[in-house]
Structures are given as C-alpha cells and as structure tokens.
Amino acid sequence: MIRLPPALTRLLLLACALFGAAQTTLAATTSDIEAAARREGVVVIYAATDISVARPLIEDFGKLYPDVRVDYRDMSSTDLYRQFVSEARTGGGADLVWSSAMDLQVKLVNDGYAQVYHSDETAALPKWAVWKDEAFGTSLEPVAMVYNRELMHADDVPRSHAELLRLLARAPAQLRGKLITYDPARSGLGFLLHSQDVLANPVVFWRLAEAFGRLGVQTEPSTADMLDRIAAGQATLGYNLLGSYAQLRAEQDPRLGVVLPSDYTLVMSRVAFISRQAKHPNAARLWLDYLLSMRGQRLLSRSPGFYSVRTDVPADEAADNLNRELGSAFRPIRIGAGLLTYLDQLKGRDFLIQWRDTIAPQP
C-alpha cells in the first residue's frame, strides 16, 4: 500500500468534499428550477420557427414536464422583433424568444432585453454559439439555392455562385421573371442572409443582384412563400433560401431540388434567449435547457436541414457532418457583436437603398 504524506491526504479529502458539495448544489439548483417551473405552470415562447419543426419538441417536453404548458406563438422574424419590443415597454409578454433572425436577436440582447443564464447545457455548447451567457445558438442550418426539377434540366442547375452568374448571363430568357429571393425590407431573416452574403463576397453578391434586376426577380418575405412559388412553377430558381425549411419541404415534394453552393455556403443558427422581464423565468430556463440538451438537440436534428450545435451528439446528427459535407465551403455565421454591423441605422438604410436600386433600377 502506498502511504501519502498527511498534508497531501488532507488536500485530497478536501477536494473530494468540495466536489461532492458542488455536485449536490448543482442537483439542488436543477431540482429547484423544475419545482419552480411547475409552480409557474407555463412558458410563453415567441418564435420564428415553423410549428412543424417545433411540435415534436413541444410534445416531448410535455412528456417530461406535464405540469408546464408550452404557449408557443409562431410569427415572422420581423413581426416577432416588433411585438417583443413593443410589449417590453409595458412589462413584456414572452418568457423566451427563439428566432432565425440572428442579428435582431443579438440586437435585443445587446439592448438589455435578455437575462444571464448558465447551466450544464449552456456550458456544453461551443464557444461561438454563446454570447454574454445570454444569447444561445440552438441549431446549424445551411443557406441554399432551390429549383424546380420539372422546369430546370439537371445539367443547368448551378452548383456555385459563379455557376449561377454564368447561367444568368448564358440563358437569360429561361429565367426571366422566374427567379425568386427574399425581400430584405420585409423579412428580418432575409435582411440577415443578404447582408451576410455581402460580407462573405460583396463582388459576387452585387453582380448577382444586378442580374436579378435585369431579369425581373420576384421577392417574398418568407422561405415558405418562395417554396410555394417554386413548387407551383411560378418561379424556377430561388436564391438564399433557408436550407432547413427547403430540405424539409423537398423530402415531401419531389418537384423541389436543393443545392448547397460548393464555393461557400452560409450556415446560420437559431438564437434563443430568456427575456429579462420573463413572468415565468424558471419555465423558460427549463425549456432552454431541454432545447440545448442532447435529447432536445437530437430530436431537433431529425428535421431535414437541421444540425445540432453540440459536438457530443452522434456524428450523423452534428455539425461535424455538415462540415464534412461542405468542406472549405462551410461558412458559419458567428453569434456576436459582428452581427450588429448592418443594423446600424445608416448602414442598414444604405444597404436597402442599394438593393432596391439594383434589383429595380429607375428608368
């Protein structure tokens, strides 16, 4: 038997005692949150996440915590932002906000609308997915081009931004009036994706915008609206659509094809935060922990186009799989103050003016 010096023995015993105390405290804290959430009885979630994606999560959360009702309110990212800010002036309405408009979420956090939260589940996220312990990335979702398989021959489908530019120059008649993309003036997510595209490759983005203007691009405020038009044949090719919704829809509709550009693919993350004025703060913490847990992340990643932000879930459900698929084209949009660049009033106004003048030039 190895005998340790008395001083080292006392040190080891103290360390074990402290570790045990920490574990007990953590368990008590988790238990306290659950008990308090049951007393609150409800969590109010404002979300720019389609109910078809959220429903399995809501149902599973209900099985785990039957005493906590989920009041889920799905709306567009722009409407969500405006309603949340308006209600905050009179005491707030949402307990938790979950949106694809990463920049608007970061702005709300930066403006003091969120509260700090730290738990085992938030600690399991990669550093890029957490900002100020207030904003949390919950998914990885690529940005895609979508086309109508019945209207576009497989050999003509562009696989990169450069190929798209060449197609628009080579066959303008084929796509005149048949292109579609987000209207950044009516969609918070559309503004985010287009402005991030400018940061990724400004020359290519504005050359594409010029081509869109020449060919009479259609614009819509949501991916769902664009997918409807593409599936119906009213549009042939969509640019900068949210790939998660596109892939989900393409699983059910063989008319739709989805392309992740091989030169660079922007990858966004839905951002969640707990409202500083939450009336049910413990229920919000319970939901956030569930959403970020391995169980919640694995369930979320079952939806086509959604990938877990955690690195400890199975590889086929995690970001590593998307990273391998895209290789050097993988271009994640990081959560942080950099997202505020185009929300500067002057920069945002100038971007929208340039966009409008480019796609709809005055005679």
Side-chain angles (χ1 to χ4, degrees):
M1 179 182 294
I2 301 174
R3 293 186 178 275
L4 298 175
L8 181 56
T9 300
R10 288 194 296 271
L11 184 61
L12 288 173
L13 290 173
L14 177 61
C16 291
L18 289 173
F19 177 78
Q23 294 297 100
T24 302
T25 301
L26 181 60
T29 301
T30 302
S31 178
D32 289 346
I33 289 174
E34 291 182 21
R38 286 195 296 271
R39 290 193 295 271
E40 292 169 355
V42 64
V43 55
V44 180
I45 301 171
Y46 285 7
T49 300
D50 194 275
I51 187 62
S52 65
V53 173
R55 185 176 290 111
L57 296 165
I58 295 170
E59 292 174 351
D60 189 53
F61 180 85
K63 293 175 184 177
L64 292 175
Y65 310 107
D67 297 324
V68 182
R69 179 173 62 88
V70 177
D71 182 353
Y72 190 85
R73 306 183 191 181
D74 182 18
M75 57 191 86
S76 75
S77 54
T78 301
D79 289 344
L80 183 157
Y81 175 84
R82 291 172 178 164
Q83 182 169 331
F84 179 81
V85 171
S86 175
E87 291 177 345
R89 300 189 185 102
T90 57
D95 298 314
L96 184 136
V97 183
W98 187 29
S99 175
S100 53
M102 299 172 68
D103 49 353
L104 294 179
Q105 290 289 85
V106 167
K107 177 171 170 53
L108 289 173
V109 171
N110 193 61
D111 290 347
Y113 288 102
Q115 60 176 267
V116 171
Y117 183 56
H118 186 80
S119 69
D120 274 358
E121 306 302 349
T122 66
L125 297 177
K127 289 183 179 180
W128 66 263
V130 180
W131 190 53
K132 298 172 63 174
D133 280 331
E134 296 177 17
F136 306 96
T138 65
S139 64
L140 282 180
E141 303 166 51
V143 180
M145 291 187 281
V146 182
Y147 65 99
N148 184 305
R149 294 179 181 273
E150 296 175 349
L151 298 179
M152 179 169 277
H153 192 277
D155 293 340
D156 292 331
V157 176
R159 303 294 172 180
S160 68
H161 295 82
E163 287 186 13
L164 176 57
L165 274 171
R166 288 195 290 270
L167 174 65
L168 299 181
R170 184 179 72 248
Q174 176 188 356
L175 293 171
R176 190 174 303 281
K178 291 289 191 175
L179 296 166
I180 195 165
T181 192
Y182 270 112
D183 180 352
R186 292 191 291 158
S187 167
L189 176 58
F191 184 93
L192 167 72
L193 298 183
H194 286 346
S195 60
Q196 287 294 313
D197 208 357
V198 172
L199 293 174
N201 198 326
V203 173
V204 167
F205 178 83
W206 289 118
R207 285 183 62 194
L208 283 171
E210 289 170 1
F212 292 165
R214 289 195 305 271
L215 298 179
V217 69
Q218 305 174 47
T219 59
E220 288 288 350
S222 76
T223 290
D225 292 334
M226 288 187 278
L227 292 173
D228 287 344
R229 284 182 171 271
I230 296 169
Q234 296 168 337
T236 300
L237 179 67
Y239 180 76
N240 266 5
L241 278 70
L242 188 54
S244 52
Y245 287 173
Q247 290 179 354
L248 187 63
R249 182 79 169 268
E251 289 275 319
Q252 306 159 353
D253 192 337
R255 294 173 296 180
L256 296 174
V258 181
V259 174
L260 303 183
S262 60
D263 48 354
Y264 69 90
T265 292
L266 295 175
V267 181
M268 57 142 286
S269 178
R270 284 170 202 273
V271 176
F273 69 82
I274 300 171
S275 171
R276 183 168 53 86
Q277 297 177 312
K279 294 181 175 65
H280 314 100
N282 291 289
R285 292 167 189 144
L286 196 64
W287 170 267
L288 182 62
D289 275 345
Y290 165 77
L291 183 59
L292 298 179
S293 69
M294 288 187 67
R295 177 170 176 150
Q297 287 284 289
R298 294 187 69 179
L299 187 57
L300 179 62
S301 65
R302 289 179 188 172
S303 293
F306 285 81
Y307 298 82
S308 171
V309 294
R310 292 183 62 141
T311 58
D312 54 356
V313 300
D316 60 337
E317 299 168 347
D320 286 348
N321 187 48
L322 180 63
N323 203 340
R324 283 195 301 272
E325 180 182 346
L326 293 175
S328 61
F330 184 74
R331 193 76 59 89
I333 302 173
R334 296 184 175 275
I335 301 171
L339 285 167
L340 300 174
T341 300
Y342 275 96
L343 291 183
D344 172 83
Q345 189 172 8
L346 188 60
K347 272 187 170 292
R349 185 198 67 187
D350 288 347
F351 171 77
L352 289 175
I353 290 173
Q354 185 174 357
W355 168 259
R356 183 195 64 204
D357 291 347
T358 304
I359 69 162
Q362 298 299 313

